[in-house]
Amino acid sequence: MTQGLPLAVDGLTKQFGPVRAVDDLSFTVAPGKVTGFLGPNGAGKTTTLRCLLGLVAPTAGTTRIGDRDYRDLPRPLHTVGAALEATGFHPGRSAREHLRVLALSGGIALERVDQVLAQVGLSQAAERRTGGFSLGMRQRLQLAAAMLGDPGVLLLDEPANGLDPEGIAWLRGFLRHLAGQGRTVLVSSHVLAEVEQTVQDVVIIAGGRLVRACPLAELRGSAGGVVVRTPDPEALRAALPPESVRAQDDGTLLVSGLEPHAVGHAAFVAGVELHELRAATTELEDVFLELTRAPATGAVA
Amino acid sequence: MTTTAVPRPDGRPRLLRAELLKVASTRMWVGLLIGAVLYVALQVVSLYFATLTANTGGGPTVPTLRTAEGVRNLFAGAGGAYLFALVVGILGMTQEFRFQTITGAFLAVPRRGRIVAAKMGAYALVGAAYALVGLVVGYLLAVILLAFTDHAPIGLATLGQIAGGAVLGAALYAVLGVAVGTLVRNQIAALLGALVWVLLVEALLVAFLPAVGRWLPGGALSAVLQSTGLGNATYLPVWGGALLLLGYALVLAGAAAATTLRRDVS
Ligand SMILES: Nc1ncnc2c1ncn2[C@@H]1O[C@H](COP(=O)(O)OP(=O)(O)OP(=O)(O)O)[C@@H](O)[C@H]1O
Ligand SMILES: [Mg+2]
C-alpha cells in the first residue's frame, strides 16, 4: 500500500455552459480518516471528484493529490483508487476481464484481480458479463477496481447506492478499516445519515460552494443535544450549565453539549421531575438540510 | 510516496497488452471477422464468374482467366478485408466512449495520447490478422474455383505481393479507424461518416478525378494494394501510399489530441 496523501481543492470552479457546477470551492482532506463529502443532488460532488481525478478540466483553481496534480502521478492507480458514479463497463466483458484490463493498463500484478474480487464478494460472478450485473454488483465491481492498486487514497462517489443493508454495513466497516490503515478515504453522499456512522470529518457543499468543512463531532455539537420535557423548566435550567438550555416551540427543552445520562443525573440530583429524556439524533440530518438549503436558494435568487 | 517491491513494467508493451485484451475479451472482433471473411469470399466468387462471363457482350474487356492478369485479379479479391479493418478500428475506439470505459482508461493512464497510440498499435495487429484470415480463405476459394477452369499459372511471388499489400493496407486502415473514432467519439456518426466517405465520396473521386483521388486515403490504399493488380499508374508507389495513409492517421489523431481528446470525461 502506498501511504495516504492529503487532498487539496483550492479555489476550484467548473462552468458547464450556463451551469456553474462548482464555484470557488476550497477544502482539504486528511489521511487516516473517512471524510464524508456531502451535498444535495446537483451540488457538484461528482464534478469535484472528476476534477481531482484529472477527468474534468477546472475552469479555475487547482486540485492536488499530495503535492501533485493527478495527471502528474507516476503510478496513478497505485496512488489513488476511484469509484465513480456512471457505469464504465463494457456489457460484454466479464468482471474478471474488466479488472485484468485495468490492471494491465495500470501496471498492476494480475494476481490482484482475484484478490479484489474476493474482497468485494464478487468471486462467484467473476466470469459473468457485467451487462447482466445488478446495481449493487456494479458498485462492488467499481470498488474492486478502486482497490486494484492497493492505493493510499480512495475517492468513492456514492458507493452505498444500490447496496443491500448487509452490503452497506460491510462497506462501513471496510471504509473504517481502510482509514485505520492510514489511507485517505473521501466518500460522497447526498444523505448525511448514510455516512453518519462512518465518517470522522465532513465537507458539505451546496450549489457548488462550500457550506461547512469540520469534524462530524462539531456538527453534532451544533446539532445534537438532549431533548427534555419537564413540568419545572426553571429548576432544570438552574441545575444545568448556563447557556446550554434552549426552549423549543413544542414545549421541550434542548440541552446542548451534554449526553442524556448527564442531563438525567443532573435532574435527579436537583430533584426535578422529567417526562421525557432523549438524544436529539435526528437533529443532525436537520442541520444538514438547513445548511444545504440556504445557499442553494440563495444561488437561485 | 513509498516505492513497493513490485517492479514497474515498461509502459509501452503493457498498454499494448491491455488494448489487445480489450479486443479479445468481447465478441465484437468475431462478428467483424466473419463479415470480412464472407465479404472476401463473395468478392472472389463474383470475380470468378465475372471473368467467366466477360467479353461476351459489348462491354469493356476484362482479362480472362487464361491471362496472368486475369488470374492475378481473382486472387487479389482475397485482399478485400480492409474495409472491415477500418470498421473494427472505429468501433474499438468509439465503444470506449459509448460504454464510458474511457474513464477507467484515463484514470490508469492520464496521458491520454498514450492510450490512443497503444490502441492504434493493437488495431494495426487486428487489421493485419483480418487481412491474413481473409487471404487464406480467399486463396483457398480461388484455388478450388480454378481447379474447374482452364487458367494461366500464377507464381508464388505474385501471391506474396498481393498478401503483403493486403496486410499492410488493412493494418493502416485499422489505425486510421482508431484515429477517426478518437476525433468523432459518437459511434454511429463515426461509422456512418467513414462508410459514406469511403464507399461513396472517395470511391467516386478516386475513379473520376484520379489526380485528386490518389492523394486521398482511398487513393493511398489503392497505391498500397497496387501490387494486387487492382491499381493503375496514377497511384503513388507502395511506400508512398503507406506513408500517406499513416500520415492521415497521424494528422487525424493529432487533430483529436488538440480537440476531442482534451475534453472533459463525464
Ligand atoms: N458534463 C456536464 N455538462 C453539463 N452540466 C453538467 C455536467 N456535469 C454536471 N453538470 C451539472 O453540474 C451540476 C453539478 O453536478 P454533479 O454531478 O457534480 O452533482 P452531484 O453533487 O454529484 O449530484 P448527485 O448527488 O445528483 O450525484 C449539476 O447542475 C449538473 O447538471
Ligand atoms: Mg454525483
Side-chain angles (χ1 to χ4, degrees):
Chain A
M1 176 194 126
T2 55
Q3 72 195 62
L5 298 168
L7 311 178
V9 172
D10 191 13
L12 183 69
T13 297
K14 180 63 190 183
Q15 188 89 30
F16 288 113
V19 179
R20 182 157 285 215
V22 179
D23 191 1
D24 196 21
L25 179 64
S26 304
F27 65 89
T28 58
V29 179
K33 298 187 204 175
V34 182
T35 302
F37 188 30
L38 305 167
N41 292 135
K45 303 181 294 291
T46 301
T47 306
T48 304
L49 293 178
R50 285 189 176 265
C51 286
L52 266 162
L53 292 164
L55 295 169
V56 164
T59 308
T62 57
T63 59
R64 288 271 182 276
I65 313 278
D67 55 2
R68 292 176 202 250
D69 213 282
Y70 185 89
R71 290 180 205 220
D72 297 326
L73 294 174
R75 301 199 303 165
L77 294 194
H78 290 88
T79 313
V80 182
L84 292 172
E85 72 179 5
T87 54
F89 306 117
H90 189 299
R93 192 173 284 139
S94 73
R96 179 177 282 130
E97 298 286 30
H98 174 77
L99 294 177
R100 286 167 61 94
V101 164
L102 290 179
L104 272 178
S105 306
I108 296 164
L110 291 177
E111 295 88 74
R112 281 291 294 161
V113 168
D114 285 339
Q115 288 172 13
V116 293
L117 280 170
Q119 219 170 357
V120 302
L122 276 182
S123 299
Q124 302 298 315
E127 301 293 333
R128 283 172 52 189
R129 290 169 205 281
T130 61
F133 273 22
S134 69
L135 181 58
M137 292 168 81
R138 282 165 200 273
Q139 285 287 22
R140 285 167 190 263
L141 186 52
Q142 296 275 29
L143 211 54
M147 292 303 302
L148 257 186
D150 197 16
V153 178
L154 284 153
L155 302 183
L156 309 176
D157 199 4
E158 315 226 4
N161 267 4
L163 289 188
D164 50 30
E166 193 194 341
I168 291 180
W170 166 80
L171 181 68
R172 284 186 181 138
F174 188 55
L175 296 184
R176 272 197 297 255
H177 168 71
L178 293 173
Q181 295 175 320
R183 298 181 212 243
T184 311
V185 183
L186 183 64
V187 194
S188 86
S189 175
H190 51 266
V191 194
L192 176 57
E194 191 176 87
V195 295
E196 197 183 326
Q197 300 169 36
T198 321
V199 305
Q200 283 102 323
D201 284 357
V202 289
V203 173
I204 300 176
I205 65 170
R209 298 203 197 124
L210 185 70
V211 174
R212 195 86 184 261
C214 63
L216 182 67
E218 197 175 299
L219 205 61
R220 265 193 220 288
S222 59
V226 181
V227 177
V228 199
R229 194 184 291 278
T230 171
D232 192 355
E234 290 316 311
L236 186 63
R237 269 183 200 274
L240 293 168
E243 309 288 309
S244 69
V245 183
R246 188 154 50 92
Q248 299 199 110
D249 296 345
D250 60 356
T252 60
L253 297 177
L254 181 70
V255 185
S256 54
L258 287 179
E259 295 293 310
H261 67 84
V263 176
H265 179 73
F268 176 73
V269 170
V272 179
E273 180 182 347
L274 297 187
H275 291 169
E276 192 178 345
L277 173 67
R278 61 183 163 85
T281 46
T282 51
E283 297 279 315
L284 191 56
E285 195 65 37
D286 289 345
V287 167
F288 174 60
L289 282 176
E290 195 59 38
L291 282 174
T292 55
R293 194 162 21 222
T297 48
V300 172
Chain B
M1 183 183 344
T2 56
T3 43
T4 51
V6 185
R8 192 177 165 196
D10 179 39
R12 301 290 153 168
R14 171 190 110 201
L15 290 185
L16 185 66
R17 278 181 65 199
E19 290 302 330
L20 288 172
L21 180 58
K22 284 181 196 175
V23 179
S25 58
T26 72
R27 290 191 194 136
M28 174 193 69
W29 68 272
V30 185
L32 283 171
L33 180 61
I34 292 172
V37 166
L38 289 179
Y39 178 81
V40 164
L42 193 71
Q43 191 160 316
V44 170
V45 171
S46 54
L47 277 168
Y48 175 76
F49 286 107
T51 46
L52 278 191
T53 58
N55 310 329
T56 47
T61 51
V62 175
T64 74
L65 293 173
R66 286 199 195 79
T67 66
E69 202 189 347
V71 178
R72 188 166 79 164
N73 284 353
L74 182 67
F75 279 92
Y82 53 85
L83 202 58
F84 291 83
L86 179 72
V87 170
V88 85
I90 291 174
L91 293 183
M93 192 71 220
T94 52
Q95 72 184 0
E96 293 259 25
F97 294 104
R98 180 172 163 207
F99 298 122
Q100 298 180 316
T101 46
I102 198 71
T103 300
F106 286 170
L107 286 180
V109 187
R111 307 276 156 189
R112 301 178 176 184
R114 293 179 55 197
I115 299 267
V116 179
K119 204 178 278 291
M120 284 179 158
Y123 278 91
L125 294 177
V126 174
Y130 275 23
L132 279 174
V133 174
L135 284 163
V136 169
V137 172
Y139 278 7
L140 274 176
L141 202 56
V143 167
I144 292 168
L145 291 172
L146 287 180
F148 300 98
T149 324
D150 188 14
H151 66 91
I154 182 157
L156 272 183
T158 314
L159 290 180
Q161 266 179 7
I162 293 173
V167 169
L168 184 62
L172 289 171
Y173 248 37
V175 172
L176 194 64
V178 171
V180 169
T182 313
L183 195 57
V184 185
R185 304 190 295 182
N186 180 295
Q187 189 156 61
I188 307 286
L191 204 57
L192 273 183
L195 288 180
V196 166
W197 172 262
V198 169
L199 297 177
L200 211 69
V201 180
E202 200 178 48
L204 292 176
L205 283 175
V206 171
F208 294 107
L209 276 177
V212 177
R214 62 190 279 199
W215 296 106
L216 297 177
L221 178 75
S222 300
V224 173
L225 295 180
Q226 69 187 259
S227 60
T228 66
L230 292 178
N232 68 46
T234 60
Y235 297 125
L236 298 171
V238 174
W239 62 267
L243 280 183
L244 187 57
L245 266 184
L246 200 58
Y248 271 112
L250 292 181
V251 165
L252 285 181
T259 58
T260 49
L261 205 55
R262 287 167 180 246
R263 282 207 198 134
D264 292 342
V265 181
S266 58

